[in-house]
Amino acid sequence: MPGQGETEEDHEQQKSKKPADTAFKQQRLPAWQPIITANTALPVFLIIGLTFIPIGIVLVITSERVLEHDIDYTDTNCMSTTAANTTCAQALENANYTGQTCTCRINFALDKSFDGDVYFYYGLINYYQNHRRYVRSRDDNQLLGKEGAAASECQPFQKNSTGSGKDYAPCGAIANSKFNDTLSLLYGSENVSVTNVGIAWSTDKAVKFKNPDNASNYFTSTHDKPPNWKVTAWELDESTSENNGYQNEDFIVWMRTAAMPTFRKLYRKLLRNSTFQNGLPKGDYTLVVTYNYPVTSFAGRKQFIISTTSWMGGKNPFLGWSYIAVGIVCMITFVVFFILHKTWKINNPFTYQMASIQNNQRITTT
Amino acid sequence: VSPKQKAEVVELIKRSTDDITLAVGDGANDVGMIQTAHVGVGIMGREGVQAACASDYTIGQFRFLTKLLFVHGVWSYRRLCKVLLYSFYKNICLYVMELWFAFHNGFSGQILFERWTIAIYNVLFTAAPPMALGLLDRCCSAETMMRFPAMYKMSQNRSDFNIKVFWTWCLNAVYHSIILYFMSYAMLRHDVVHSNGIVFGSHLFLGNCVYTYVIFVVCLKAGLESDSWTFLTHIAIWGSIASWFLFFIIYSNIWPTIPLAPEMRGMAKYVFSSLYFWLGLLLIPITALLADFIYNW
């Protein structure tokens, strides 16, 4: 390091302190300096407009083709078959929500045939599955079938502290509030064939939810069923033995907490055999409801939804209309600025020339 | 002239005007004035290193002072302003969305995004663009700046960072967050975004879609604000976007092998297999940046 009192010869013999002369260190990196001019911006708007509007039209048409039929069966539609002049909602309330059940039959007609695959959903309104305390009230280790006590996040649905002291399986508020209405469809007098296989996320069923060893003993004796459940997890599906415990697909679907307070969940899929080979034919149907799930106390509503799908998904024209709207905005911008650009060019020919010369020069570094 | 006298001259100027002072010197007797001035420049060389050690900036010869001021000074001012404004912008854009989501979850405090993706936002996915802006951005070439010294004026009148500019950027961030959140919300409201009828059912699905769109908008905004794109700028912008996709794919597959993020398992598979996500990716960031593009034009 050159210090005081050194001679010039010593100075030259020292290593040079000059910083490295690379493009990066000397701020000489070649660069593209984009200057947005009329010649570059106007085509952008034109292209966006010309691509978005057709895309939007296709999306809107696709969405219009999806057929959907909703039946709200919360109260007035669903009259109890046993008690006279009472809705099922009323019947549950009268019994003080002590696990009373109620059945009702709702007649409706499909005025168009639903061709192709048909999906049956139950919908809930004003139901906040996205509430923070609710979302965290689960134990994912327990759902993997692992040994150990239920997590404390499940409280107050962690264990049966007032009764047997056993842990709830499954624990937590999400599991406890599992939807337990049964909905089935009759076409005239014929049962509409449905399946409950393949309604959950395949990754959930394969990886996240596993039954513990010795499951029957686990669910029926060493652990309690959640307080609001009518049966234990091992008895959820009498007809298919693999669809029980944590692997029950209705349970898995329920455990995926919905994003919004109005949501639907996949309940069943149409099994396309005999009469229903091409879908749901047009005609009269009856919805048979076993009404177990009380929602009126918090002004919630329940729906049964029949829907086909398109190559995109369910019925939602929003995306299509947005594409059209943005496309139109771009086209209007293009037209307006094109006119402005041309008139300015006519009125100020010299300035326009100078500006375009300057703009077209790429300012690169040497 | 003694060191103390030199320092006192600088002090006099500082006290009687509002101006920013700069002192340049090369000897031990300049140390006082270099330290008193707002900006001290030391010349490293014949008379030793004391001046250089006491200074804010060190140059090799007196004539380099013009380049220091007219080129690096202006560049530095513009870069700093951009980095500051951009940092506020990108954070406001993402986190204000929790407020919009609160309207839909009963104000319960539920977050829309998964907690580690939020934490890594500033560390990994949006760290490179401000660095590219701050290190490499050049409004004009060095030759132009030296040829037209009057351009120095543009860094002297608070044009790039003042109250109006700051609040404009903040409002811009809020505007972007509104478009990004509410358009995604409307797009995904009906729950069925796959052709096989499956319900996507999870606020994280919405969250991850929105998060991807935010990364796109925020990184492209850095590009829009950039006056010069070097290859490193390209890497910063496209690389950040790619790093999010990579992280998302990996993070969606670690549970239960690693006891972390059970709610993310399978997310990448279902998000990427949904056409709504991709169509939204084409539409929503472009919609958000349209106004910015026109403004920059």
Side-chain angles (χ1 to χ4, degrees), chain A residues 1-2 4 8 17 24 27-34 36-38 41-42 44-45 48 52 55 59 119 121 128 130-132 135 140-141 144 198-204 207-208 256-266 309-316 318-319 322-323 326 329-330 333 337 363-366, chain B residues 44 46 49-50 72 75 79 101 104-106 108-110 135-136 138-141 143-144 181 183 185-203 205-206 224 226-232 234 255-256 262-263 265-267 269-270 275-276 279-280 282-283 286-287 290 293-294 296-297:
Chain A
M1 244 184 82
Q4 272 187 316
E8 275 194 52
K17 299 262 320 147
F24 176 65
Q27 293 279 348
R28 279 199 315 265
L29 280 173
W32 169 53
Q33 297 196 287
I36 307 175
T37 63
L42 286 176
V44 166
F45 284 107
I48 295 179
F52 277 17
I55 293 178
L59 292 179
Y119 300 89
Y121 304 87
Y128 285 78
N130 56 9
H131 193 285
R132 184 179 62 91
V135 167
D140 287 293
N141 279 313
L144 279 175
I199 55 176
W201 281 30
S202 56
T203 46
D204 280 357
V207 174
K208 267 182 81 168
R256 277 245 157 238
T257 50
M260 291 292 147
T262 303
F263 63 90
R264 62 183 64 177
K265 288 194 183 290
L266 186 54
T309 56
S310 66
W311 48 271
M312 280 195 48
K315 192 183 190 73
N316 187 354
F318 170 77
L319 205 55
S322 307
Y323 264 96
V326 174
V329 166
C330 283
T333 315
F337 280 106
I363 306 175
T364 52
T365 59
T366 43
Chain B
M44 160 99 84
R46 288 181 176 270
V49 297
Q50 280 92 338
H72 297 290
W75 282 356
R79 285 167 180 171
F101 185 51
H104 293 138
N105 67 26
S108 62
Q110 175 61 40
L135 293 175
L136 302 168
R138 302 199 287 278
C139 54
C140 311
S141 69
E143 288 76 14
T144 314
Y181 177 76
M183 282 187 81
Y185 157 74
M187 175 176 90
L188 296 175
R189 269 181 84 173
H190 65 304
D191 294 302
V192 181
V193 294
H194 296 90
S195 57
N196 62 1
I198 294 273
V199 166
F200 74 72
S202 170
H203 63 277
F205 189 97
L206 172 64
L224 209 56
S226 204
D227 284 323
S228 68
W229 287 59
T230 62
F231 77 93
L232 288 171
H234 279 284
W255 172 272
E263 60 270 21
R265 179 75 208 214
M267 211 32 95
K269 174 181 172 198
Y270 279 90
L275 274 168
Y276 272 87
L279 286 167
L282 179 61
L283 174 73
I286 289 182
T287 313
L290 219 49
F293 185 74
I294 295 177
N296 272 22
W297 176 27

Side-chain angles (χ1 to χ4, degrees), chain A residues 280-316:
Chain A
L280 280 184
K282 172 169 116 154
D284 293 317
Y285 289 82
T286 312
L287 174 68
V288 181
V289 178
T290 314
Y291 194 116
N292 297 317
Y293 203 70
V295 295
T296 44
S297 54
F298 52 87
R301 303 206 65 83
K302 297 193 283 187
Q303 291 176 319
F304 180 71
I305 300 162
I306 306 171
S307 174
T308 56
T309 56
S310 66
W311 48 271
M312 280 195 48
K315 192 183 190 73
N316 187 354

Side-chain angles (χ1 to χ4, degrees), chain A residues 116-128:
Chain A
D117 285 320
V118 183
Y119 300 89
F120 304 103
Y121 304 87
Y122 57 87
L124 286 163
I125 299 180
N126 202 34
Y127 196 109
Y128 285 78

